[in-house]
Amino acid sequence: MMDGTIPHLIRGGLKEGFCKVSPYGPLVSDQAKTDADAAKAKFMAGTMVIYKGPIKDNTGKTVIADGTEFKQTDIELEKMNYLVDGVLGQQVVE
């Protein structure tokens, strides 16, 4: 990083090799494998949408508007500071 060859901000997932999928265990059904492989293909293509609005936080406020989509490496996800609807708890600010 000091010589500038590694950028300050690095994002990635399956496509970039930051993580990998382990082999399927013996109890994984053929349908589950098919579904998981389809999802993996979308991640590898960079087309997998992981957040799609509308999404509300656990206080009822809309935090991702209807029609808004975020993919795995979207910079907007760095701003997440809420718990989604259905999660019990509250954000602790120190």
Side-chain angles (χ1 to χ4, degrees), residues 27-79:
L27 298 178
V28 178
S29 70
D30 288 340
Q31 184 61 55
K33 290 177 189 177
T34 298
D35 293 345
D37 288 342
K40 181 181 176 184
K42 288 182 180 180
F43 277 113
M44 297 303 284
T47 60
M48 178 61 128
V49 173
I50 59 172
Y51 292 93
K52 183 176 181 179
I55 295 177
K56 293 185 178 190
D57 69 11
N58 67 350
T59 67
K61 176 185 170 191
T62 298
V63 290
I64 298 179
D66 189 20
T68 301
E69 298 181 348
F70 295 121
K71 295 179 183 167
Q72 182 179 13
T73 57
D74 196 305
I75 191 127
E76 189 66 24
L77 298 176
E78 302 286 333
K79 301 175 187 177

Side-chain angles (χ1 to χ4, degrees), residues 8-22:
H8 172 70
L9 185 58
I10 300 174
R11 284 187 186 74
L14 286 172
K15 180 179 179 181
E16 297 80 15
F18 278 52
C19 56
K20 65 178 184 173
V21 178
S22 296

